[in-house]
Amino acid sequence: MKPFTFERATTPSAAAATAARVPSAKFIAGGTNLLDLMKLQIETPAHIIDLTRLDLGRIEDTSDGGLRIGALVTNTNLAANGRVRREYGVLSRAVVAGASGQLRNKATTAGNLLQRTRCPYFYDTNQPCNKRQPGSGCAAIGGVSRQLAVIGSSDVCIGH
């Protein structure tokens, strides 16, 4: 990993202000995706903003009968929530199927939404990848692409 500075956000607005001021800043909560990318030096943020102390970990009913899922709700808590299991069973099962118990205990809803591509070529720094390094090429084009998401929608990235 490359050196970085670190701070714990005290409010969502303070976190957003820091991110706006420091262009290479990254948010972290569970860190299950970002830390892996930092170890591989795919992500090299100069500054990390820890969000774990923000009050964003609730699942709440909305006035129109819906559900508000906080950004810091762990995948474990989301999948185990009674209402999610009853009324949004596919969501609960998808979360459980998506990772091990250890990862679900740390991973957050917002982190899932913000995670980077899962293409194996993206994680292999010996292969070209336009998502990791624009203009370097896409090793999946002409390579093994059986388990990649949407295939063929872009000339520069098979999973784009």
Side-chain angles (χ1 to χ4, degrees), residues 124-147:
D124 184 350
T125 56
N126 293 314
Q127 298 290 328
C129 174
N130 285 323
K131 282 194 166 196
R132 189 180 63 244
Q133 185 178 7
S136 66
C138 175
I141 295 175
V144 178
S145 59
R146 183 169 180 234
Q147 295 182 359

Side-chain angles (χ1 to χ4, degrees), residues 106-125:
K106 293 298 289 178
T108 62
T109 302
N112 270 13
L113 296 173
L114 295 173
Q115 74 181 339
R116 299 291 303 268
T117 180
R118 291 295 194 197
C119 175
Y121 295 105
F122 176 81
Y123 282 84
D124 184 350
T125 56

Side-chain angles (χ1 to χ4, degrees), residues 14-31:
T18 299
R21 192 176 66 254
V22 183
S24 67
K26 294 286 181 183
F27 297 115
I28 194 167

Side-chain angles (χ1 to χ4, degrees), residues 145-159:
S145 59
R146 183 169 180 234
Q147 295 182 359
L148 301 178
V150 178
I151 297 174
S153 61
S154 168
D155 292 337
V156 297
C157 176
I158 202 166

